[in-house]
């Protein structure tokens, strides 16, 4: 397969506990090229927009509160089969079910405070990349 882009967020829990560097190192070790990276802090509206597909879920208000509680690091990542590979190295959504050596097994606290986000499909990856990055940002 050819090179593919995906989108990732190091979430507020991992930034706060000082694991951003560990997570970036694991991503680089897994062969991801960092195309773009920025620290930012989501407003309530931005978090609601980003997670709009989950707005009917019971955990939505809590998820929005969590994602706005502190700074996050947004990243555009590239490698072969990037979307699938990122989901492998992140591990299961619930860290209790994540395999040994995955990012969530190593650093996540709970199914909600799960330290990292990764796009789940090519269409969502493009939408999510465009939520945070411009064409110029992504040309590296
Ligand atoms: P993420 O991969 O960013 O996609 C949606 C997020 O919602 C997920 O990671 C978790 O942070 C959160 N989430 C998913 N399922 C649950 C759940 N059952 N309870 C609380 N939070 C959840």
């Amino acid at each position: 397969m050819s090179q593919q882009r995906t989108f990732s967020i190091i979430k507020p829990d991992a930034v706060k506990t000082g694991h951003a560097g560990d997570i970036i190192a694991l991503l680089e070790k897994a062969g991801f090229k960092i195309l773009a990276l920025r620290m930012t802090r989501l407003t309530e509206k931005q978090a609601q927009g980003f997670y709009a597909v989950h707005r009917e879920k019971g955990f939505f208000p809590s998820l929005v509160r969590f994602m706005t509680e502190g700074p996050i690091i947004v990243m555009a990542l590239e490698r072969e089969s990037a979307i699938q590979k990122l989901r492998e190295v992140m591990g299961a959504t619930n860290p209790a079910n994540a395999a040994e050596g995955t990012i969530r097994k190593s650093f996540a606290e709970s199914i909600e405070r799960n330290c990292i986000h990764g796009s789940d499909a090519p269409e969502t990856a493009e939408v999510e990349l465009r939520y945070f990055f411009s064409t110029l940002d992504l040309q590296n």
Side-chain angles (χ1 to χ4, degrees):
M1 197 187 177
S2 55
Q3 294 295 299
Q4 186 182 52
R5 299 193 301 206
T6 191
F7 174 74
S8 184
I9 301 177
I10 302 177
K11 297 186 179 183
D13 55 332
V15 173
K16 194 175 355 184
T17 54
H19 287 123
D22 295 321
I23 291 172
I24 292 167
L26 285 170
L27 293 173
E28 289 192 319
K29 212 165 155 188
F32 288 95
K33 177 182 170 190
I34 299 168
L35 292 179
L37 179 153
R38 186 170 76 248
M39 180 175 268
T40 185
R41 184 163 179 172
L42 293 176
T43 64
E44 192 180 352
K45 273 212 162 67
Q46 289 166 340
Q48 287 169 341
F50 183 76
Y51 279 123
V53 293
H54 296 299
R55 65 181 173 272
E56 304 302 332
K57 308 256 174 71
F59 60 77
F60 184 71
S62 172
L63 176 62
V64 169
R65 247 190 331 273
F66 162 51
M67 289 302 292
T68 56
E69 75 179 30
I72 60 172
I73 294 171
V74 292
M75 297 177 288
L77 302 172
E78 185 180 70
R79 65 156 274 164
E80 203 178 288
S81 305
I83 293 167
Q84 186 200 325
K85 184 69 184 174
L86 178 59
R87 294 179 75 78
E88 279 170 31
V89 299
M90 290 193 308
T93 305
N94 186 345
N97 303 327
E100 277 311 320
T102 60
I103 291 171
R104 284 173 170 156
K105 183 71 175 183
S106 305
F107 305 118
E109 297 168 33
S110 67
I111 190 166
E112 178 174 273
R113 303 177 71 84
N114 65 354
C115 81
I116 186 168
H117 167 84
S119 306
D120 62 3
E123 307 73 46
T124 31
E126 285 309 307
V127 171
E128 291 176 358
L129 286 165
R130 291 298 171 181
Y131 204 75
F132 291 97
F133 296 115
S134 70
T135 302
L136 278 181
D137 293 328
L138 297 172
Q139 74 182 0
N140 299 305

